[in-house]
Amino acid sequence: MPRCSFRPCIDLHAGQVKQIVGGTLHASPSPTAPSTPSLQTNHISHHPPSYFAALYKTHNLRGGHVIMLGPGNEDAATDALQAWPGGLHVGGGITDTNAAAWIGRGAEKVIVTSYLFPDARFSMDRVEALLGVLCGDRQQVVVDLSCRRQRSGDGEVKWVVAMDKWQRLTDMEVNAESIAALEPYCSEFLIHAADVEGLQSGIDQELVRKLGEWCSIPVTYAGGGRSIRDLELVERLANGRVDLTIGSALDIFGGSGVKLEECMAWNQRPSA
């Protein structure tokens, strides 16, 4: 039976490693507009990105994602990748013009979202263009379908892919059909539940359960994780078919909900 694994992360904002409440990423305080809502930051690390990359390398925590949240993070991302060439995935502003360069800088895979949705509309042409610059190697591609929870007219819950720092909804729902359409073009999915990202308020259990049903390739869920029990919960809900990232609750990011050593022990536990 497949098993849920802990996947690490390095979130970058303004060149620093931070943990941010995802729903506030649009906020940019202005001295001339005191009422402008503030970016909500859970933690700003005094360590460089390479510190975390080296830590993950030491403990063989593969498949972690380095996410550039906005401009000014390219040097910080490169710092992380150079500390563990071939061990991390990188995302944030990935397009057909820079994907190959990021692989060249040491990324195992590139993570792509907004580029696939010009004017918030999904483009298969862009999927094929991205694959083209990577010589058709879908093993180097992670599709990020980070989403927001919505309700349809009849009250049914649905999840809509969100782009531009998770603030703009696209025309794509995350469902069995969209997953099946994209699986031939990538090696895995990354899905942040943007409504609960950074809140440490618990995972979106319904979404995790659905991802376990819909996905036949690896998928990592992020958003709301707050304790080691969430790894157990994700494994049960998705029958071991979904991995989990924990960020703000993790001790290395100033959290108190779970220790990195607990997550390492979880990944290393013997098979049942």
Side-chain angles (χ1 to χ4, degrees), residues 212-233:
E213 295 174 4
W214 296 335
C215 298
S216 65
I217 62 175
V219 55
T220 298
Y221 167 92
R226 54 188 174 182
S227 77
I228 197 70
R229 291 187 298 275
D230 284 315
L231 283 161
E232 300 168 359
L233 179 58

Side-chain angles (χ1 to χ4, degrees), residues 40-258:
Q40 294 181 33
T41 303
N42 289 329
H43 179 72
I44 302 176
S45 178
H46 64 273
H47 292 298
S50 55
Y51 168 86
F52 297 98
L55 181 65
Y56 300 157
K57 179 181 180 181
T58 297
H59 298 290
N60 197 33
L61 292 170
R62 301 194 65 88
H65 51 269
V66 180
I67 301 296
M68 297 178 283
L69 299 169
N73 293 301
E74 291 80 4
D75 289 345
T78 301
D79 179 62
L81 297 177
Q82 290 180 345
W84 192 7
L88 297 164
H89 308 166
V90 67
I94 301 298
T95 71
D96 62 336
T97 63
N98 62 20
W102 281 110
I103 295 294
R105 291 177 191 175
E108 179 188 19
K109 304 182 183 187
V110 291
I111 305 166
V112 61
T113 308
S114 296
Y115 168 72
L116 303 182
F117 294 89
D119 298 319
R121 295 181 178 276
F122 175 70
S123 169
M124 184 58 76
D125 287 344
R126 290 204 169 185
V127 174
E128 294 173 347
L130 185 77
L131 271 177
V133 300
L134 298 175
C135 301
D137 187 0
R138 73 184 187 99
Q139 294 303 317
Q140 294 182 333
V141 178
V142 178
V143 171
D144 184 336
L145 294 180
S146 295
C147 55
R148 287 188 173 274
R149 190 182 180 102
Q150 304 286 302
R151 286 198 179 272
S152 59
D154 58 5
E156 290 292 316
V157 172
K158 62 180 181 179
W159 295 271
V160 179
V161 176
M163 57 184 281
D164 296 340
K165 302 178 185 177
W166 305 326
Q167 301 304 313
R168 187 179 182 188
L169 297 180
T170 70
D171 65 345
M172 177 179 280
E173 290 184 33
V174 180
N175 55 31
E177 290 73 23
S178 59
I179 292 289
L182 285 167
E183 282 190 345
Y185 300 93
C186 61
S187 60
E188 57 185 276
F189 294 108
L190 172 63
I191 298 181
H192 292 82
D195 299 297
V196 296
E197 174 70 18
L199 294 177
Q200 303 178 58
S201 59
I203 64 171
D204 186 330
Q205 296 188 32
E206 192 172 358
L207 176 57
V208 168
R209 184 182 294 109
K210 291 293 188 182
L211 292 174
E213 295 174 4
W214 296 335
C215 298
S216 65
I217 62 175
V219 55
T220 298
Y221 167 92
R226 54 188 174 182
S227 77
I228 197 70
R229 291 187 298 275
D230 284 315
L231 283 161
E232 300 168 359
L233 179 58
V234 169
E235 181 163 272
R236 177 171 57 81
L237 290 171
N239 294 313
R241 299 174 68 89
V242 175
D243 293 337
L244 175 66
T245 290
I246 300 174
S248 293
L250 202 59
D251 61 343
I252 60 172
F253 298 127
S256 59
V258 61

Side-chain angles (χ1 to χ4, degrees), residues 21-45:
V21 177
T24 69
L25 271 170
H26 66 289
S28 53
S30 168
T32 61
S35 62
T36 301
S38 297
L39 180 74
Q40 294 181 33
T41 303
N42 289 329
H43 179 72
I44 302 176
S45 178

